[in-house]
Amino acid sequence: MMVAMVQMKINDAVFIESKSSSTSSTPTAPLQGIVAFIGPVSFAEGDDWIGIRLTGDSVGKGKNDGSVKGVQYFENVGSNNGMFVKASALKKRTLS
């Protein structure tokens, strides 16, 4: 059975499904953000990377500011408000 991959677009609202740590027994809420970049990156293989600008309670929980190793992939506000994940780690969310 094939699972259809949902196409992401810039400015889509998403949840980032985090891998739960085996050392932690408390579940963590998924991070939330807005798609800010889609495509290949210079720091890893593959063309299915998504750059996320974190929003809401997730602000400050990222790994970068939209740039990695000196390459700016998207504009962001503040450090640790951006992250890159594979498309398969995202789920679209609806804004209410």
XYZ file of all heavy atoms in Angstrom:
706
model
N 0.833 -1.177 0.000
C 0.000 0.000 0.000
C 0.882 1.247 0.000
O 1.798 1.362 0.791
C -0.880 -0.008 1.254
C -1.818 1.153 1.327
S -3.033 0.847 2.630
C -2.746 2.282 3.612
N 0.595 2.179 -0.925
C 1.371 3.408 -1.017
C 0.692 4.518 -0.239
O -0.521 4.654 -0.269
C 1.514 3.841 -2.475
C 2.881 3.553 -3.020
S 2.974 4.039 -4.728
C 3.631 5.659 -4.557
N 1.495 5.293 0.458
C 0.973 6.442 1.197
C 1.266 7.682 0.363
O 2.397 7.911 -0.039
C 1.642 6.556 2.583
C 1.178 7.803 3.298
C 1.364 5.321 3.398
N 0.254 8.488 0.098
C 0.444 9.707 -0.676
C 1.147 10.755 0.171
O 0.749 11.004 1.301
C -0.899 10.231 -1.160
N 2.166 11.362 -0.398
C 2.916 12.406 0.294
C 2.200 13.729 0.064
O 1.884 14.083 -1.054
C 4.341 12.489 -0.251
C 5.144 13.588 0.364
S 5.789 13.110 1.930
C 7.462 12.834 1.519
N 1.911 14.441 1.127
C 1.258 15.734 1.016
C 2.295 16.749 0.559
O 3.374 16.837 1.139
C 0.650 16.160 2.374
C 0.068 17.547 2.288
C -0.376 15.153 2.822
N 1.981 17.491 -0.480
C 2.906 18.490 -0.989
C 2.898 19.707 -0.068
O 1.844 20.194 0.307
C 2.513 18.923 -2.403
C 2.686 17.827 -3.414
C 4.150 17.551 -3.728
O 4.950 17.303 -2.839
N 4.487 17.573 -4.981
N 4.087 20.175 0.272
C 4.225 21.351 1.114
C 4.512 22.559 0.226
O 5.146 22.442 -0.807
C 5.385 21.181 2.104
C 5.172 20.106 3.126
S 3.888 20.581 4.280
C 3.632 19.042 5.107
N 4.035 23.720 0.683
C 4.299 24.973 -0.004
C 4.838 25.975 1.014
O 4.598 25.850 2.208
C 3.009 25.535 -0.623
C 2.346 24.630 -1.633
C 1.127 25.278 -2.279
C 0.115 25.849 -1.371
N -0.784 25.010 -0.637
N 5.556 26.977 0.513
C 6.028 28.058 1.374
C 4.814 28.667 2.077
O 3.762 28.850 1.467
C 6.771 29.131 0.539
C 7.995 28.531 -0.151
C 7.150 30.330 1.409
C 9.102 28.064 0.762
N 4.956 28.953 3.344
C 3.931 29.535 4.225
C 2.870 28.548 4.703
O 1.927 28.961 5.379
C 3.258 30.769 3.596
C 4.218 31.925 3.467
O 5.085 32.121 4.319
N 4.102 32.673 2.394
N 3.013 27.253 4.382
C 2.107 26.252 4.975
C 2.375 26.167 6.474
O 3.526 26.197 6.909
C 2.332 24.860 4.375
C 1.591 24.646 3.066
O 0.736 25.482 2.698
O 1.865 23.623 2.409
N 1.315 26.054 7.244
C 1.441 25.833 8.693
C 1.614 24.339 8.917
O 0.897 23.532 8.328
C 0.195 26.338 9.408
N 2.586 23.958 9.755
C 2.903 22.541 9.950
C 3.182 22.211 11.409
O 3.497 23.084 12.215
C 4.140 22.122 9.114
C 3.858 22.199 7.626
C 5.356 22.955 9.474
N 3.042 20.925 11.704
C 3.554 20.341 12.941
C 4.794 19.553 12.566
O 4.808 18.873 11.542
C 2.545 19.374 13.571
C 1.375 20.034 14.238
C 0.095 19.809 13.776
C 1.557 20.860 15.334
C -0.999 20.405 14.389
C 0.469 21.467 15.959
C -0.803 21.232 15.485
N 5.828 19.608 13.403
C 7.028 18.810 13.217
C 6.934 17.651 14.183
O 6.893 17.855 15.395
C 8.314 19.622 13.476
C 8.392 20.807 12.522
C 9.536 18.749 13.323
C 8.076 22.105 13.169
N 6.857 16.456 13.638
C 6.749 15.269 14.480
C 8.136 14.932 15.001
O 8.989 14.481 14.265
C 6.150 14.117 13.690
C 4.739 14.407 13.248
C 4.081 13.233 12.561
O 4.735 12.189 12.398
O 2.918 13.373 12.193
N 8.338 15.193 16.296
C 9.649 14.953 16.891
C 9.796 13.494 17.259
O 8.836 12.833 17.615
C 9.852 15.832 18.123
O 8.879 15.540 19.089
N 11.019 13.032 17.180
C 11.308 11.667 17.617
C 11.418 11.714 19.132
O 12.211 12.459 19.674
C 12.603 11.183 16.992
C 12.477 11.071 15.502
C 13.723 10.457 14.936
C 13.455 10.062 13.537
N 13.939 10.527 12.468
N 10.603 10.925 19.803
C 10.636 10.945 21.263
C 11.896 10.254 21.759
O 12.326 9.252 21.225
C 9.392 10.264 21.830
O 9.276 8.971 21.305
N 12.459 10.817 22.761
C 13.677 10.278 23.348
C 13.356 9.037 24.172
O 12.384 9.000 24.915
C 14.316 11.339 24.242
O 15.366 10.785 24.983
N 14.184 8.022 24.038
C 13.938 6.789 24.786
C 14.232 6.978 26.276
O 13.821 6.175 27.087
C 14.790 5.658 24.217
O 16.153 6.008 24.287
N 14.935 8.075 26.616
C 15.248 8.319 28.022
C 14.155 9.122 28.720
O 14.160 9.259 29.914
C 16.585 9.075 28.163
O 16.473 10.323 27.470
C 17.727 8.260 27.606
N 13.217 9.639 27.932
C 12.155 10.456 28.521
C 10.843 9.684 28.502
O 10.463 9.106 27.503
C 12.002 11.751 27.727
O 10.879 12.463 28.205
N 10.152 9.680 29.629
C 8.880 8.970 29.699
C 7.700 9.913 29.476
O 6.577 9.461 29.333
C 8.735 8.284 31.059
O 8.792 9.253 32.079
N 7.966 11.230 29.443
C 6.873 12.167 29.225
C 6.780 12.506 27.739
O 7.783 12.818 27.111
C 7.096 13.473 30.026
O 8.371 14.005 29.679
C 7.036 13.228 31.506
N 5.572 12.431 27.179
C 5.425 12.755 25.762
C 5.644 14.246 25.531
O 5.296 15.065 26.383
C 3.985 12.354 25.449
C 3.292 12.301 26.759
C 4.329 12.046 27.809
N 6.235 14.582 24.393
C 6.456 15.981 24.082
C 5.483 16.407 22.996
O 5.196 15.639 22.083
C 7.903 16.212 23.603
O 8.134 15.384 22.466
C 8.905 15.890 24.689
N 4.981 17.612 23.114
C 4.066 18.143 22.105
C 4.862 18.410 20.834
O 6.033 18.790 20.894
C 3.437 19.429 22.614
N 4.235 18.210 19.682
C 4.961 18.482 18.436
C 5.260 19.971 18.310
O 4.494 20.815 18.783
C 3.992 18.016 17.348
C 2.652 17.978 17.984
C 2.878 17.754 19.446
N 6.388 20.283 17.689
C 6.717 21.669 17.421
C 5.813 22.170 16.303
O 5.317 21.384 15.498
C 8.181 21.793 17.002
C 9.215 21.405 18.054
C 10.608 21.459 17.456
C 9.122 22.315 19.266
N 5.599 23.480 16.251
C 4.782 24.046 15.186
C 5.544 25.162 14.499
O 6.383 25.818 15.113
C 3.456 24.552 15.726
C 3.593 25.675 16.730
C 2.260 26.067 17.353
O 1.338 25.277 17.413
N 2.177 27.289 17.817
N 5.245 25.343 13.225
C 5.923 26.390 12.486
C 5.299 26.622 11.127
O 4.245 26.081 10.810
N 6.008 27.427 10.345
C 5.591 27.805 9.007
C 6.713 27.407 8.042
O 7.886 27.682 8.309
C 5.360 29.335 8.918
C 4.325 29.793 9.938
C 4.993 29.759 7.506
C 2.929 29.303 9.711
N 6.354 26.786 6.923
C 7.347 26.402 5.916
C 7.967 27.665 5.323
O 7.256 28.552 4.846
C 6.701 25.540 4.805
C 7.701 25.277 3.692
C 6.166 24.233 5.378
N 9.303 27.749 5.384
C 10.018 28.925 4.884
C 10.995 28.583 3.765
O 11.488 29.473 3.076
C 10.766 29.600 6.038
N 11.301 27.298 3.560
C 12.250 26.871 2.530
C 11.908 25.448 2.124
O 11.549 24.633 2.977
C 13.686 26.913 3.078
C 14.705 26.305 2.156
C 15.298 27.074 1.173
C 15.047 24.969 2.265
C 16.221 26.501 0.306
C 15.969 24.396 1.417
C 16.559 25.162 0.434
N 12.045 25.155 0.836
C 11.839 23.790 0.333
C 12.919 23.511 -0.702
O 13.103 24.302 -1.629
C 10.455 23.643 -0.340
C 9.330 23.959 0.643
C 10.287 22.247 -0.931
C 7.952 24.038 0.011
N 13.627 22.389 -0.546
C 14.588 22.013 -1.577
C 15.870 21.430 -1.033
O 15.982 21.110 0.148
N 16.861 21.297 -1.919
C 18.155 20.736 -1.506
C 18.936 21.738 -0.662
O 18.736 22.953 -0.772
C 18.866 20.464 -2.836
C 18.208 21.356 -3.822
C 16.809 21.579 -3.350
N 19.798 21.216 0.199
C 20.654 22.029 1.062
C 22.096 21.583 0.870
O 22.356 20.481 0.399
C 20.238 21.895 2.550
C 18.861 22.487 2.782
C 20.264 20.436 2.991
N 23.027 22.430 1.246
C 24.443 22.087 1.069
C 25.001 21.244 2.209
O 26.073 20.675 2.090
C 25.274 23.366 0.922
O 25.177 24.142 2.087
N 24.262 21.128 3.326
C 24.783 20.421 4.492
C 24.346 18.958 4.582
O 24.768 18.247 5.489
C 24.411 21.159 5.782
C 22.928 21.334 6.002
C 22.177 20.328 6.587
C 22.300 22.498 5.608
C 20.817 20.485 6.795
C 20.941 22.665 5.818
C 20.193 21.651 6.403
N 23.479 18.500 3.666
C 23.013 17.108 3.706
C 22.510 16.703 2.329
O 22.159 17.551 1.501
C 21.900 16.960 4.741
N 22.457 15.410 2.097
C 21.974 14.896 0.812
C 20.456 14.905 0.761
O 19.787 14.896 1.792
C 22.491 13.468 0.595
C 23.981 13.420 0.362
C 24.446 12.027 -0.018
O 23.629 11.203 -0.449
O 25.655 11.785 0.118
N 19.926 14.898 -0.441
C 18.485 14.837 -0.648
C 17.922 16.178 -1.059
O 18.490 17.226 -0.767
N 16.787 16.126 -1.755
C 16.157 17.364 -2.205
C 14.811 17.589 -1.529
O 14.012 18.404 -1.962
C 15.999 17.371 -3.722
C 15.122 16.242 -4.223
O 14.673 15.413 -3.406
O 14.872 16.196 -5.436
N 14.567 16.826 -0.447
C 13.277 16.936 0.235
C 13.406 17.579 1.615
O 12.694 17.250 2.543
C 12.603 15.576 0.347
C 13.423 14.559 1.133
O 14.649 14.767 1.280
O 12.857 13.558 1.578
N 14.309 18.554 1.722
C 14.488 19.269 2.985
C 13.512 20.430 3.061
O 13.237 21.107 2.079
C 15.922 19.777 3.122
C 16.867 18.676 3.417
C 17.632 17.989 2.520
C 17.128 18.103 4.690
N 18.356 17.027 3.169
C 18.070 17.068 4.504
C 16.668 18.359 5.968
C 18.559 16.303 5.548
C 17.156 17.590 7.020
C 18.085 16.576 6.802
N 12.980 20.658 4.255
C 12.040 21.741 4.504
C 12.598 22.594 5.639
O 12.911 22.084 6.714
C 10.647 21.199 4.927
C 10.149 20.116 3.982
C 9.666 22.350 5.078
C 9.682 20.584 2.643
N 12.717 23.890 5.386
C 13.137 24.834 6.421
C 11.897 25.393 7.101
O 10.964 25.828 6.437
N 11.897 25.348 8.413
C 10.736 25.755 9.203
C 11.067 26.967 10.066
O 12.086 26.976 10.766
C 10.275 24.611 10.137
C 10.020 23.335 9.350
C 9.062 25.031 10.955
C 8.909 23.421 8.352
N 10.204 27.976 10.033
C 10.269 29.118 10.948
C 9.306 28.776 12.081
O 8.101 28.677 11.872
C 9.837 30.393 10.229
C 9.928 31.638 11.087
C 9.528 32.889 10.315
N 10.445 33.139 9.216
C 10.088 33.124 7.924
N 8.867 32.859 7.558
N 10.979 33.385 6.995
N 9.839 28.532 13.268
C 9.004 28.104 14.398
C 8.084 29.226 14.867
O 8.435 30.400 14.808
C 9.886 27.616 15.540
C 10.732 26.384 15.203
C 11.673 26.063 16.343
C 9.873 25.198 14.848
N 6.891 28.823 15.332
C 5.883 29.786 15.778
C 5.309 29.365 17.123
O 5.511 28.243 17.579
C 4.736 29.890 14.750
O 4.129 28.601 14.591
C 5.229 30.402 13.409
N 4.550 30.263 17.738
C 3.838 29.958 18.979
C 4.762 29.513 20.097
O 5.833 30.084 20.306
N 4.348 28.448 20.794
C 5.126 27.919 21.925
C 6.444 27.285 21.483
O 7.281 26.959 22.317
C 4.311 26.870 22.692
C 3.126 27.485 23.416
O 3.140 28.712 23.665
O 2.178 26.744 23.723
N 6.630 27.081 20.181
C 7.843 26.437 19.674
C 8.987 27.411 19.447
O 10.122 26.983 19.237
C 7.525 25.720 18.355
O 6.536 24.745 18.563
N 8.712 28.713 19.492
C 9.751 29.724 19.280
C 10.883 29.502 20.284
O 10.641 29.298 21.468
C 9.161 31.145 19.401
C 10.256 32.200 19.468
C 8.222 31.425 18.240
N 12.112 29.516 19.780
C 13.287 29.333 20.630
C 13.721 27.892 20.788
O 14.742 27.615 21.402
N 12.967 26.947 20.217
C 13.300 25.530 20.362
C 13.958 24.960 19.110
O 14.094 23.748 18.968
C 12.037 24.729 20.691
C 11.421 25.132 22.021
C 10.167 24.349 22.315
C 9.555 24.784 23.643
N 8.294 24.117 23.905
N 14.356 25.818 18.197
C 14.962 25.378 16.945
C 16.453 25.145 17.059
O 17.029 25.190 18.145
N 17.073 24.943 15.904
C 18.499 24.643 15.869
C 19.313 25.702 15.141
O 20.525 25.634 15.116
C 18.710 23.293 15.190
C 18.034 22.182 15.944
C 18.379 20.832 15.371
C 17.649 19.783 16.172
N 18.331 18.569 16.322
N 18.632 26.668 14.486
C 19.363 27.690 13.741
C 18.485 28.916 13.530
O 17.376 28.987 14.042
C 19.845 27.119 12.401
C 18.703 26.574 11.576
O 17.759 27.294 11.262
N 18.765 25.301 11.225
N 19.006 29.869 12.757
C 18.267 31.101 12.464
C 17.867 31.176 10.996
O 17.644 32.248 10.459
C 19.101 32.319 12.850
C 20.368 32.438 12.017
O 20.667 31.527 11.213
O 21.070 33.453 12.166
N 17.796 30.030 10.337
C 17.490 29.989 8.906
C 18.732 29.834 8.056
O 18.654 29.715 6.842
N 19.893 29.833 8.718
C 21.149 29.609 7.998
C 21.900 28.457 8.651
O 21.770 28.206 9.848
C 22.016 30.872 8.005
O 22.424 31.181 9.318
N 22.648 27.732 7.811
C 23.458 26.617 8.294
C 24.810 26.703 7.597
O 24.888 26.834 6.373
C 22.793 25.254 7.983
C 23.684 24.095 8.423
C 21.427 25.152 8.656
N 25.871 26.643 8.379
C 27.246 26.685 7.872
C 27.459 27.860 6.917
O 28.038 27.714 5.844
C 27.612 25.362 7.198
C 27.619 24.197 8.160
C 28.093 22.928 7.488
C 28.116 21.802 8.513
N 28.535 20.536 7.930
N 26.948 29.021 7.307
C 27.164 30.234 6.540
C 26.246 30.442 5.344
O 26.349 31.451 4.660
N 25.352 29.517 5.056
C 24.414 29.663 3.941
C 23.040 30.035 4.492
O 22.480 29.309 5.312
C 24.309 28.351 3.120
C 23.292 28.504 2.002
C 25.664 27.944 2.581
N 22.516 31.186 4.031
C 21.198 31.658 4.473
C 20.131 31.051 3.563
O 20.095 31.319 2.383
C 21.131 33.186 4.397
C 19.864 33.785 4.967
C 19.889 33.843 6.486
O 20.897 34.178 7.082
N 18.787 33.502 7.098
N 19.265 30.212 4.135
C 18.206 29.554 3.361
C 16.885 30.305 3.474
O 16.083 30.282 2.554
C 18.014 28.114 3.832
C 19.204 27.249 3.510
C 20.196 27.026 4.463
C 19.356 26.681 2.260
C 21.301 26.253 4.167
C 20.460 25.902 1.950
C 21.426 25.691 2.907
O 22.523 24.926 2.608
N 16.631 30.925 4.604
C 15.433 31.738 4.776
C 15.669 32.750 5.881
O 16.514 32.551 6.738
C 14.177 30.893 5.050
C 14.230 30.047 6.303
C 13.751 30.531 7.518
C 14.725 28.761 6.271
C 13.785 29.743 8.666
C 14.762 27.964 7.406
C 14.291 28.461 8.614
N 14.927 33.843 5.809
C 15.022 34.895 6.820
C 14.268 34.444 8.062
O 13.224 33.806 7.971
C 14.420 36.196 6.294
C 15.197 36.802 5.146
C 16.582 37.268 5.559
O 16.722 37.847 6.655
O 17.523 37.042 4.781
N 14.784 34.796 9.192
C 14.156 34.400 10.437
C 14.277 35.538 11.435
O 14.998 36.492 11.193
C 14.814 33.129 10.980
C 13.864 32.317 11.826
O 13.005 32.851 12.506
N 14.012 31.027 11.792
N 13.604 35.403 12.530
C 13.679 36.412 13.583
C 14.312 35.743 14.803
O 13.684 34.939 15.465
C 12.275 36.947 13.941
C 12.371 38.016 14.999
C 11.585 37.481 12.700
N 15.567 36.058 15.074
C 16.230 35.528 16.259
C 16.851 34.151 16.061
O 16.476 33.403 15.168
N 17.797 33.857 16.905
C 18.460 32.554 16.834
C 17.564 31.474 17.446
O 16.685 31.768 18.256
C 19.798 32.596 17.562
O 19.604 32.924 18.914
N 17.778 30.250 17.051
C 17.027 29.086 17.544
C 15.536 29.149 17.233
O 14.731 28.547 17.934
C 17.244 28.872 19.042
C 18.687 28.561 19.355
O 19.379 27.942 18.554
N 19.148 29.002 20.492
N 15.162 29.864 16.183
C 13.766 29.899 15.756
C 13.564 29.202 14.418
O 12.490 29.285 13.834
C 13.261 31.337 15.660
C 13.098 31.972 17.017
O 12.995 31.281 18.028
N 13.087 33.284 17.061
N 14.592 28.525 13.922
C 14.487 27.825 12.653
C 15.023 26.410 12.775
O 15.782 26.095 13.688
N 14.569 25.562 11.863
C 15.096 24.203 11.806
C 14.839 23.618 10.425
O 13.984 24.104 9.692
C 14.505 23.318 12.905
C 13.046 23.029 12.774
S 12.310 22.124 14.190
C 13.617 21.153 14.820
N 15.595 22.582 10.089
C 15.425 21.869 8.835
C 15.067 20.432 9.147
O 15.684 19.805 10.009
C 16.720 21.912 8.011
C 16.990 23.268 7.445
C 17.668 24.221 8.184
C 16.551 23.607 6.181
C 17.908 25.485 7.679
C 16.780 24.867 5.657
C 17.462 25.801 6.411
N 14.066 19.917 8.452
C 13.639 18.533 8.626
C 13.309 17.958 7.258
O 13.097 18.693 6.291
C 12.402 18.415 9.554
C 12.714 18.914 10.948
C 11.217 19.155 8.982
N 13.257 16.629 7.193
C 12.809 15.967 5.974
C 11.298 16.154 5.865
O 10.588 16.239 6.871
C 13.133 14.471 6.018
C 14.614 14.180 5.927
C 15.101 14.511 4.538
C 16.240 13.587 4.157
N 16.548 13.665 2.746
N 10.805 16.203 4.654
C 9.373 16.402 4.417
C 8.534 15.355 5.131
O 7.429 15.648 5.599
C 9.093 16.378 2.917
N 9.059 14.158 5.271
C 8.301 13.075 5.906
C 8.049 13.312 7.394
O 7.207 12.654 7.998
C 9.025 11.737 5.724
O 10.314 11.812 6.305
N 8.751 14.275 8.018
C 8.584 14.559 9.448
C 7.519 15.613 9.707
O 7.284 15.981 10.849
C 9.910 15.021 10.044
N 6.849 16.087 8.655
C 5.885 17.163 8.802
C 4.464 16.713 8.584
O 4.195 15.781 7.831
C 6.186 18.272 7.781
C 7.524 18.974 7.927
C 7.720 19.963 6.812
C 7.629 19.648 9.269
N 3.571 17.416 9.248
C 2.140 17.214 9.054
C 1.519 18.599 8.938
O 1.776 19.462 9.781
C 1.530 16.463 10.237
C 0.067 16.108 10.031
C -0.578 15.537 11.275
C 0.145 14.332 11.806
N -0.593 13.687 12.903
N 0.710 18.822 7.889
C 0.052 20.122 7.737
C -0.918 20.342 8.886
O -1.524 19.412 9.381
C -0.712 20.185 6.425
C 0.147 20.513 5.244
C -0.714 20.834 4.038
C 0.146 21.126 2.840
N -0.671 21.494 1.687
N -1.044 21.598 9.292
C -2.017 21.930 10.326
C -2.885 23.076 9.813
O -2.491 23.793 8.903
C -1.354 22.311 11.646
C -0.518 23.545 11.622
C 0.180 23.779 12.970
N 1.152 24.817 12.885
C 0.919 26.094 13.209
N -0.261 26.453 13.658
N 1.854 26.993 13.082
N -4.040 23.222 10.400
C -4.922 24.307 9.990
C -4.835 25.413 11.013
O -4.744 25.169 12.218
C -6.386 23.817 9.895
O -6.755 23.228 11.144
C -6.550 22.800 8.790
N -4.812 26.629 10.510
C -4.780 27.789 11.398
C -6.193 28.177 11.734
O -7.062 28.198 10.881
C -4.066 28.957 10.702
C -2.596 28.729 10.377
C -2.043 29.902 9.599
C -1.798 28.519 11.649
N -6.431 28.441 13.020
C -7.783 28.821 13.410
C -7.796 30.171 14.071
O -6.828 30.710 14.445
C -8.378 27.786 14.346
O -7.497 27.475 15.395
